[in-house]
């Protein structure tokens, strides 16, 4: 068991999220930084999809009531274990009664904590992920709070101290073309790719909102609802794009500027308010290559770990 | 030549079939083809998700290897598919028509509340698609007589089971949520239960009607 002493800003149980229910209006949910989840799990020789804790901003405190091994990945939120610094990308043994505390970080927004054998909360509709809007999954479908007990399996076996580096960060986000290019028109789309956006503080697990100083993206189109998914970039009439993330709705009626390529989507987990980003359209071949490169990074990690074990 | 839907690759593993420009006067017929196409695609087991929306279908592939194949076959499938190949379930939604806003809706249209109940419960509604929240059905079939502009001020909490009217639409709220529609009644029928084998009672393409309960508590079924 892990006992929550302080929950901080937003602390949830997540895995890869839900598939196969979008036609019923059920969101994906799941870790926003999918790669941080995978790497943290691989460091412990867990399954990639084992449930982890997603720690947003930090400021939380967790007490272990059994021995285990942990791995942290994602943002460096200045964690300490009984006062000793804990670094993202490494494995650590934890003893019964030890306390893991998170301060907060200067770069990145979300840290992922994996424990040996994963978090053992109940699976609902094929996933342990917390759906904060529909209020199910995780523990009672909500953010964890002081006094909550997170089920884990004790582990007393040996472990190997290993580390992994994260995939590189990007400020230039690659996109698939817009299905509404004709509707929105070439001038608007070229304005879009020449605009430097700021991440709005009004962003959350549903979507990241983007601010900019021009008014060149305003429009008056309204569409019949169509399917949207994490990575879809909606353009409301006010001209401020919204990049939908894992908790986003399944359908929407705003025109789409395009879809973030799979290899770049996880970056949105780590952008902080006022960070600058820009966009660039790429071909399907380039998107596939970017995905291969990222998978290659993970594959190398697995090989290196295998040689270590 | 018959008008064709627009088909786009959205990503390396998802496609959009957009038929919303074909005939805005007969959205239900187009939607019936969307349901039939959805059902066919589902049977191939090549998709993680198939999401019908308003005269469109978004298809999420299990593997990006199949993207080009589907880009090629979708136009033919669309022209060949018969909407009659899909049959949804029919649901009876027992409703107590004592909603907070039923008097407002009646007064707005110069009708009695009994008229509102009769008109609303006489119609057969088609579930066009679901969205907004788990189990929320966009219904087709609200009589023009009951079209009512949304409330000036949305409620911060519309209770679960509320039957409501918003502009040209009617619907049932599966969970407590903020909302701007006029509440005309309530139902105890559960629309979404995440712990159930079939979490949603209603699926895209189903039909339903509202059955008025005269005195809640007096029935024994």
């Amino acid at each position: 068991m892990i006992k929550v002493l302080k929950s901080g800003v937003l602390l949830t149980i997540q895995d890869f999220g839900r598939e196969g229910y979008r036609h019923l209006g059920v969101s994906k949910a799941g870790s926003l930084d999918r790669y941080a989840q995978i790497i943290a799990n691989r460091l412990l020789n867990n399954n990639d999809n084992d449930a982890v804790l997603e720690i947003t901003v930090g400021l939380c405190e967790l007490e272990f009531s059994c021995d285990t091994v942990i791995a942290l990945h994602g943002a460096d939120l200045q964690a300490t274990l009984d006062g000793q610094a804990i670094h993202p990308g490494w494995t650590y043994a934890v003893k019964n009664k030890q306390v893991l505390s998170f301060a907060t970080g200067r770069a990145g927004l979300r840290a992922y904590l994996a424990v040996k054998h994963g978090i053992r909360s109940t699976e609902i509709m094929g996933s342990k992920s917390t759906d904060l809007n529909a209020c199910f999954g995780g523990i009672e479908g909500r953010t964890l709070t002081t006094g909550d007990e997170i089920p884990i399996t004790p582990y007393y076996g040996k472990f190997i101290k290993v580390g992994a580096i994260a995939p590189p960060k990007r400020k230039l986000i690659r996109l698939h073309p817009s299905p509404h290019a004709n509707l929105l028109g070439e001038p608007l789309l070229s304005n879009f790719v020449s605009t430097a956006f700021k991440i709005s503080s009004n962003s959350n697990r549903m979507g990241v909102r983007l601010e900019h100083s021009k008014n060149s993206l305003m429009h008056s189109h309204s569409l019949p609802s169509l399917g949207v998914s994490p990575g879809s970039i909606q353009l409301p009439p006010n001209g401020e794009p919204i990049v939908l993330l894992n908790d986003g709705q399944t359908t929407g009626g705003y025109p789409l500027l395009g879809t973030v390529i799979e290899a770049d989507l996880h970056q949105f987990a780590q952008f902080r308010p006022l960070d600058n980003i820009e966009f660039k359209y790429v071909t399907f071949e380039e998107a596939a290559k970017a995905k291969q490169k990222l998978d290659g990074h993970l594959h190398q990690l697995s090989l290196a770990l295998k040689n270590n074990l | 030549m018959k008008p064709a839907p627009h088909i786009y690759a959205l990503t390396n593993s998802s496609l959009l079939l957009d038929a919303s420009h074909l005939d805005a006067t007969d959205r239900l017929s187009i939607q019936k083809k969307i349901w039939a196409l959805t059902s066919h695609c589902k049977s191939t087991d090549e998709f993680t998700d198939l999401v019908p929306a308003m005269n469109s279908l978004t298809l999420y592939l299990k593997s990006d290897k199949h993207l080009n194949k589907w880009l090629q076959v979708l136009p033919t499938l669309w022209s060949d598919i018969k909407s009659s190949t899909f049959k949804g379930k029919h649901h009876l939604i027992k409703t107590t028509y004592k909603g907070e806003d039923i008097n407002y809706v009646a007064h707005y249209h110069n009708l009695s509340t009994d008229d509102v109940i009769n008109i609303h419960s006489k119609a057969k509604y088609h579930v066009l698609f679901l969205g907004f929240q788990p189990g929320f059905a966009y219904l087709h079939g609200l009589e023009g007589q009951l079209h009512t502009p949304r409330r000036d001020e949305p409620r911060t909490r519309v209770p679960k089971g509320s039957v409501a009217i918003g502009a040209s639409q009617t619907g049932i709220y599966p969970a407590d949520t903020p909302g701007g529609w006029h509440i005309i009644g309530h139902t105890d029928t559960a629309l979404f239960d995440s712990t159930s084998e079939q979490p949603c009672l209603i699926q895209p393409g189903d039909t339903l009607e509202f059955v008025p309960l005269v005195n809640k508590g007096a029935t024994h079924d």
Side-chain angles (χ1 to χ4, degrees):
Chain A
M1 214 79 94
I2 302 173
K3 197 170 170 187
V4 179
L5 301 182
K6 266 193 344 204
S7 60
V9 174
L10 182 67
L11 178 66
T12 57
I13 297 172
Q14 303 291 351
D15 54 18
F16 283 160
R18 296 183 177 82
E19 267 184 355
Y21 298 100
R22 297 191 73 78
H23 64 294
L24 303 175
V26 177
S27 307
K28 180 184 174 76
S31 295
L32 293 187
D33 192 339
R34 179 187 171 90
Y35 287 92
Q37 176 192 315
I38 294 174
I39 294 170
N41 274 325
R42 287 200 188 177
L43 286 168
L44 300 173
N45 204 21
N46 283 353
N47 296 315
D48 286 351
N49 192 26
D50 280 348
V52 298
L53 288 180
E54 182 178 272
I55 300 140
T56 309
V57 180
L59 310 172
C60 77
E61 252 178 49
L62 307 167
E63 186 187 70
F64 290 80
S65 43
C66 62
D67 289 13
T68 184
V69 183
I70 60 168
L72 267 185
H73 217 280
D76 186 351
L77 301 178
Q78 311 286 313
T80 53
L81 183 64
D82 280 357
Q84 294 286 318
I86 293 280
H87 303 289
W90 291 91
T91 53
Y92 295 89
V94 176
K95 298 280 171 213
N96 184 21
K97 294 287 173 215
Q98 283 198 298
V99 174
L100 181 65
S101 308
F102 292 84
T104 189
R106 283 186 209 91
L109 201 61
R110 293 180 172 92
Y112 292 81
L113 173 68
V115 298
K116 185 74 184 169
H117 301 311
I119 286 162
R120 298 300 207 184
S121 58
T122 315
E123 196 165 288
I124 293 186
M125 295 167 74
S127 162
K128 294 187 171 76
S129 289
T130 313
D131 186 325
L132 292 169
N133 297 316
C135 306
F136 69 92
I139 294 182
E140 297 168 8
R142 57 172 170 77
T143 175
L144 299 178
T145 179
T146 303
D148 276 341
E149 293 187 327
I150 305 160
I152 65 168
T153 310
Y155 179 77
Y156 304 98
K158 57 183 178 135
F159 86 104
I160 296 171
K161 182 91 185 162
V162 284
I165 56 162
K169 302 257 178 293
R170 297 183 62 92
K171 294 275 178 199
L172 180 61
I173 298 296
R174 293 164 291 185
L175 289 185
H176 293 293
S178 161
H180 301 127
N182 286 337
L183 178 79
L184 295 171
E186 174 51 35
L188 187 145
L189 292 180
S190 62
N191 281 336
F192 168 60
V193 291
S194 62
T195 300
F197 292 98
K198 268 194 172 55
I199 306 289
S200 159
S201 56
N202 189 16
S203 300
N204 55 31
R205 285 186 42 93
M206 291 178 73
V208 163
R209 287 164 189 269
L210 303 173
E211 294 169 350
H212 58 110
S213 50
K214 305 181 197 166
N215 54 12
S216 55
L217 300 180
M218 294 199 292
H219 68 86
S220 54
H221 305 292
S222 155
L223 293 173
S225 290
L226 77 156
V228 291
S229 61
S232 299
I233 306 189
Q234 296 185 318
L235 186 66
N238 71 4
E240 301 201 334
I242 304 168
V243 181
L244 294 181
L245 300 181
N246 297 35
D247 287 2
Q249 293 180 201
T250 54
T251 61
Y254 295 131
L256 300 180
L257 286 163
T259 310
V260 177
I261 68 167
E262 195 185 332
D264 286 354
L265 186 55
H266 67 108
Q267 307 274 1
F268 285 86
Q270 304 299 358
F271 290 138
R272 299 154 63 100
L274 303 182
D275 276 355
N276 288 297
I277 60 167
E278 289 178 53
F279 295 96
K280 171 192 169 188
Y281 289 109
V282 295
T283 63
F284 289 91
E285 292 73 26
E286 286 173 281
K289 260 194 200 136
K291 173 80 167 49
Q292 275 165 19
K293 198 170 165 190
L294 207 50
D295 286 346
H297 181 94
L298 290 177
H299 186 64
Q300 276 187 340
L301 170 69
S302 289
L303 283 179
L305 290 172
K306 216 178 248 168
N307 290 336
N308 247 308
L309 297 174
Chain B
M1 213 179 84
K2 275 196 204 167
H6 296 312
I7 292 163
Y8 307 93
L10 294 175
T11 69
N12 295 63
S13 60
S14 61
L15 307 102
L16 169 66
L17 179 140
D18 183 0
S20 64
H21 59 288
L22 294 187
D23 183 1
T25 61
D26 196 3
R27 295 216 179 273
L28 186 58
S29 299
I30 296 173
Q31 199 66 9
K32 285 180 177 173
K33 280 188 91 161
I34 296 279
W35 298 326
L37 182 65
T38 306
S39 166
H40 171 83
C41 291
K42 194 170 180 217
S43 69
T44 66
D45 205 32
E46 290 191 12
F47 300 92
T48 58
D49 281 284
L50 290 153
V51 184
M54 193 63 207
N55 288 182
S56 73
L57 174 64
T58 306
L59 309 95
Y60 300 92
L61 282 162
K62 286 181 181 167
S63 161
D64 50 12
K65 288 193 192 92
H66 297 142
L67 182 76
N68 286 326
K69 178 183 84 183
W70 284 97
L71 277 174
Q72 280 167 21
V73 303
L74 276 175
T76 324
L77 269 178
W78 177 262
S79 58
D80 291 353
I81 206 132
K82 299 270 176 293
S83 43
S84 56
T85 56
F86 178 81
K87 283 268 173 295
K89 279 191 196 156
H90 187 65
H91 306 274
L92 300 176
I93 307 294
K94 291 178 186 165
T95 305
T96 309
Y97 280 101
K98 286 184 179 167
E100 291 83 333
D101 301 324
I102 193 164
N103 288 331
Y104 174 89
V105 172
H107 188 249
Y108 182 86
H109 295 288
N110 238 338
L111 296 168
S112 69
T113 54
D114 281 347
D115 292 337
V116 173
I117 296 169
N118 284 333
I119 298 166
H120 190 261
S121 61
K122 216 174 57 192
K124 181 178 161 190
Y125 300 92
H126 289 267
V127 178
L128 293 171
F129 64 96
L130 290 91
F132 171 60
Q133 59 173 230
F136 186 88
Y138 289 86
L139 300 177
H140 177 274
L142 182 67
E143 284 290 339
Q145 271 175 293
L146 293 184
H147 293 187
T148 318
R150 291 177 180 82
R151 287 167 56 86
D152 290 340
E153 210 160 303
R155 285 192 170 83
T156 52
R157 181 179 167 271
V158 176
K160 174 181 172 174
S162 294
V163 174
I165 290 176
S168 63
Q169 304 219 63
T170 187
I172 314 160
Y173 285 85
D176 291 356
T177 179
W181 291 15
H182 301 278
I183 305 171
I184 59 167
H186 296 279
T187 181
D188 290 336
T189 305
L191 296 187
F192 178 72
D193 175 2
S194 62
T195 60
S196 153
E197 185 69 27
Q198 290 282 347
C200 276
L201 176 71
I202 295 170
Q203 308 275 326
D206 285 355
T207 51
L208 62 84
E209 58 197 288
F210 296 94
V211 180
L213 288 181
V214 180
N215 270 315
K216 201 179 175 186
T219 50
H220 295 280
D221 50 0

